[in-house]
Every structure is written in structure tokens, then in C-alpha cells.
Amino acid sequence: MGALLWLLIPVLAGLVAALWSSWAVRNRRTGDVAELAGYARFRAAMEKQHAAAAAPTVPERVSDPV
């Protein structure tokens, strides 16, 4: 009976590993659509920030040394 209990441990470990591997390779539904939308938002934010930094500013008065 003790040998059967020791055999039960690797069998249960194998079942747990099979369940985990089937969960790990599942088909995720989000796909590239969510990633591409996030990248588009990132690009829009960077363009907005870059446009604000490149906005014309009032030049300081510089005296002409001549």
C-alpha cells in the first residue's frame, strides 16, 4: 500500500503539470489589437508632447554688440 502512495505523488504532479501547460498555451483573445491600440495612444501622446516643446516661444531681447 505504501508503494501505491509513493506512486500517487508523481501521478498527481503529472496531472498538475498537464493542467498548467494547457492553461499556459491557451489562446489569448486580446491579441495584437489591444497592443496596437496602446501603441497608437503612446505615439499620440509623444507627438502631443513633442509639438508642445517645439511650439514657438517669444525670443529674448538680445542687444547687438555692434
Side-chain angles (χ1 to χ4, degrees):
M1 185 69 175
L4 289 177
L5 279 176
W6 279 105
L7 184 61
L8 189 63
I9 293 171
V11 169
L12 288 177
L15 288 174
V16 169
L19 287 172
W20 178 83
S21 64
S22 67
W23 177 79
V25 298
R26 72 192 184 281
N27 189 6
R28 293 180 177 93
R29 290 182 174 83
T30 57
D32 290 336
V33 176
E35 293 176 16
L36 290 174
Y39 181 66
R41 287 192 308 269
F42 171 75
R43 284 186 51 182
M46 288 294 111
E47 289 293 327
K48 201 180 298 183
Q49 183 181 19
H50 188 268
T57 58
V58 177
E60 295 181 21
R61 294 197 140 207
V62 179
S63 60
D64 193 13
V66 176

